[in-house]
């Protein structure tokens, strides 16, 4: 009754077992990829806080096995159907439509003559994926798992050695070989207490730990995706991430419950400040290092004279834009971003920044907060991969009489 009840209340929990995923969170990564195309031009990936391994499983099936899901799978099926129709009813298509169909189906991904083994080999060529967690992870095809602490300085050399067995810390310091990663993912979250302010703070520290490691290994132009808890002052966190990435977006996948404060921060195009050197021995978030980076970034912005903006019928609005970023467009038009103190923005340094919010995933798909009626002959399935060493393992052993309770 318990399994059936959860299947009714959580459609994605049920679908994850039916489709062979280790956890329902696999749908979150698939929907994020569908919106932001995270896996394009990616061959080196690091999955932090990976246990039980659902995100690593997605990486294995997409990047190594060459499987397609969501929109890309639908586009493949649609292209094949149109190709079949072109062969049966050629007169039903205009020359432009026929040319478009032949172009869509001429790529290796749509070539029916290409065998499954060749497609898998093409997809997995030069792909390296490393999963890191303090908890053990059941093996996955093509995935290297490390049981390590992401806050420890020794983790970075272990990670780089896993990506490249010939890596030598003595010769790779300061070279491009030290930054080989295209994408860093983090789906980690603390054990929530129910005290929202405390949970948000602990989650932000976990995010800082993931970011510190990502800064040590990301390539310029790389991507970083991490779970966050949206709170009152989360816009400060967005502004801090904006120092290192060109584009920062907050995304809420369809499979993430709307009643949850959970969201995902998607950071694109990694561009560290000039002279910045990441190190877990001197992490961000400790001392005044991050504030210094923000000031140095601000000093690189163009100097613009103070301006007075006037709104008809509402008087004048004076704001200092001496340190505001400016962009020169075609025709000599200069766009200046001003900070309004009345809207909660800091005029002096622009410390607060509101990231755009995107709801990703098929909005007509299952609602993660709704309950669905199951067929009468429905049989609830067991989880694909039960936890290897869950925190409650000792309690289960005591209940089963396999061990004695602590005195």
């Amino acid at each position: 009754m318990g399994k059936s009840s959860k299947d009714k209340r959580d459609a994605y929990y049920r679908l994850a077992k039916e489709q062979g995923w280790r956890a329902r969170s696999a749908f979150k990564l698939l929907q994020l990829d569908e919106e932001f195309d995270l896996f394009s031009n990616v061959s080196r990936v690091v999955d932090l806080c990976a246990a039980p391994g659902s995100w690593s499983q997605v990486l294995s099936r997409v990047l190594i096995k060459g499987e397609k899901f969501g929109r890309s799978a639908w586009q493949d099926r649609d292209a094949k159907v149109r190709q079949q129709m072109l062969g049966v009813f050629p007169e039903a298509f205009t020359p432009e439509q026929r040319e478009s169909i032949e172009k869509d189906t001429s790529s290796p991904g749509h070539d029916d003559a290409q065998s499954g083994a060749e497609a898998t080999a093409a997809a997995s060529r030069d792909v390296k994926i490393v999963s890191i967690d303090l908890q053990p992870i059941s093996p996955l095809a093509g995935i290297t798992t490390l049981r390590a602490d992401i806050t420890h300085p020794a983790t970075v050399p272990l990670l780089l050695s896993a990506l490249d067995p010939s890596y030598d810390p003595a010769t790779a310091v300061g070279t491009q070989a030290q930054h080989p990663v295209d994408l860093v993912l983090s789906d980690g979250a603390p054990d929530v207490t129910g005290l929202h302010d405390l949970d948000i703070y602990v989650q932000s520290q976990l995010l800082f730990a993931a970011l510190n490691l990502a800064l040590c290994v990301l390539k310029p132009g790389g991507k970083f995706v991490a779970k966050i808890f949206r709170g009152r002052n989360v816009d400060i966190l967005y502004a801090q991430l904006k120092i290192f990435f060109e584009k920062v977006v907050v995304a809420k996948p369809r499979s993430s419950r709307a009643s949850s404060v959970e969201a995902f921060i998607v950071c694109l195009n990694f561009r560290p400040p000039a002279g910045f050197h990441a190190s877990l021995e001197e992490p961000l978030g400790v001392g005044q290092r991050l504030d210094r980076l923000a000031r140095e970034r601000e000093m690189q912005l163009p100097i613009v004279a103070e301006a007075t903006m006037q709104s008809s019928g509402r008087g004048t609005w004076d704001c200092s834009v001496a340190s505001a970023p400016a962009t020169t467009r075609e025709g000599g038009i200069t766009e200046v971003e001003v900070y309004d103190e009345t809207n909660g923005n800091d005029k002096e340094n622009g410390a607060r920044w509101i990231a755009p919010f995107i709801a990703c995933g098929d909005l007509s798909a299952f609602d993660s907060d709704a309950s669905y009626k199951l067929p009468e002959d429905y049989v609830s399935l067991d989880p694909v991969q039960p936890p290897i060493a869950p925190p409650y393992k000792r309690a289960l052993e005591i209940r089963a009489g396999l061990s004695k309770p602590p005195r």
Side-chain angles (χ1 to χ4, degrees):
M1 181 61 183
K3 292 182 180 179
S4 178
S5 176
K6 189 168 184 179
D7 287 339
K8 290 180 183 178
R9 290 180 287 107
D10 193 336
Y12 289 98
Y13 171 78
R14 181 179 74 250
L15 290 174
K17 295 188 296 181
E18 293 176 354
Q19 298 181 14
W21 300 112
R22 293 188 173 186
R24 68 189 301 279
S25 56
F27 293 106
K28 301 175 185 178
L29 181 58
L30 290 172
Q31 290 169 357
L32 289 171
D33 172 60
E34 190 173 338
E35 180 69 33
F36 299 100
D37 200 14
L38 297 176
F39 302 150
S40 65
N41 301 320
V42 166
S43 60
R44 299 289 189 273
V45 187
V46 177
D47 184 14
L48 306 178
C49 307
S54 61
W55 279 25
S56 297
Q57 188 181 14
V58 172
L59 296 171
S60 175
R61 295 178 64 175
V62 173
L63 296 179
I64 296 178
K65 297 182 179 180
E67 299 182 30
K68 294 188 177 182
F69 303 92
R71 181 184 303 163
S72 60
W74 177 86
Q75 290 173 343
D76 269 10
R77 291 194 299 267
D78 179 65
K80 291 180 180 178
V81 170
R82 288 189 296 157
Q83 179 69 16
Q84 293 174 355
M85 293 180 62
L86 180 61
V88 177
F89 305 106
E91 68 280 356
F93 296 89
T94 64
E96 292 78 9
Q97 291 175 332
R98 287 196 294 270
E99 182 180 356
S100 176
I101 293 173
E102 292 172 355
K103 181 179 180 180
D104 290 342
T105 56
S106 62
S107 62
H110 298 104
D111 190 358
D112 294 333
Q114 187 179 30
S115 66
E118 292 175 347
T120 301
S124 61
R125 187 181 298 117
D126 297 332
V127 172
K128 294 284 186 178
I129 302 172
V130 179
S131 301
I132 303 177
D133 202 294
L134 286 173
Q135 298 292 331
I137 304 174
S138 181
L140 282 165
I143 305 293
T144 302
T145 59
L146 298 178
R147 193 172 181 183
D149 183 358
I150 64 174
T151 65
H152 198 283
T155 302
V156 172
L158 288 174
L159 168 61
L160 296 175
S161 298
L163 291 171
D164 184 7
S166 62
Y167 168 76
D168 183 6
T171 59
V173 173
T175 66
Q176 184 64 28
Q178 196 177 5
H179 300 80
V181 178
D182 302 306
L183 172 64
V184 176
L185 304 172
S186 175
D187 191 30
D191 295 330
V192 295
T193 63
L195 302 173
H196 296 305
D197 290 342
L198 177 61
D199 293 337
I200 291 171
Y201 171 76
V202 176
Q203 173 64 19
S204 67
Q205 298 307 303
L206 184 61
L207 173 60
F208 263 121
L211 176 64
N212 280 312
L213 190 144
L215 295 177
C216 294
V217 298
L218 268 181
K219 282 182 178 179
K223 309 167 190 175
F224 175 66
V225 180
K227 179 185 292 185
I228 63 168
F229 289 166
R230 291 176 295 161
R232 181 173 50 190
N233 295 320
V234 73
D235 53 339
I236 298 177
L237 178 62
Y238 303 154
Q240 293 169 339
L241 291 170
K242 188 70 172 175
I243 296 174
F244 301 98
F245 296 90
E246 180 179 356
K247 185 177 181 181
V248 178
V249 178
V250 180
K252 182 76 169 179
R254 177 70 169 176
S255 53
S256 178
R257 296 184 183 92
S259 57
S260 170
V261 296
E262 169 196 81
F264 292 89
I265 191 78
V266 180
C267 307
L268 306 175
N269 194 8
F270 175 56
R271 47 173 186 82
F276 171 76
H277 298 287
S279 172
L280 290 186
E281 296 179 353
E282 188 184 355
L284 295 175
V286 178
Q288 303 298 320
R289 188 182 184 202
L290 188 60
D291 294 338
R292 186 180 75 250
L293 288 172
R295 289 194 299 270
E296 291 176 356
R297 167 77 65 166
E298 181 185 344
M299 292 175 62
Q300 299 173 2
L301 299 174
I303 303 299
V304 183
E306 294 189 1
T308 300
M309 301 181 65
Q310 184 172 358
S311 177
S312 59
R314 297 185 180 180
T316 60
W317 175 29
D318 296 332
C319 60
S320 175
V321 293
S323 60
T327 304
T328 302
R329 305 294 185 186
E330 295 181 0
I333 300 175
T334 302
E335 296 180 358
V336 181
E337 182 180 359
V338 296
Y339 299 97
D340 182 9
E341 193 173 25
T342 61
N343 291 333
N345 292 329
D346 189 345
K347 292 193 302 181
E348 295 181 357
N349 54 25
R352 293 179 180 268
W353 180 76
I354 306 299
F357 183 89
I358 294 179
C360 55
D362 185 1
L363 299 182
S364 63
F366 287 102
D367 184 355
S368 55
D369 288 299
S371 296
Y372 293 90
K373 186 177 179 180
L374 300 176
E376 295 181 357
D377 57 348
Y378 179 79
V379 177
S380 181
L381 303 174
D382 291 328
V384 175
Q385 176 60 59
I388 299 177
Y392 50 84
K393 183 178 181 179
R394 182 70 185 281
L396 295 177
E397 292 176 349
I398 294 173
R399 181 183 299 176
L402 299 178
S403 64
K404 297 180 180 180
R407 295 182 178 179

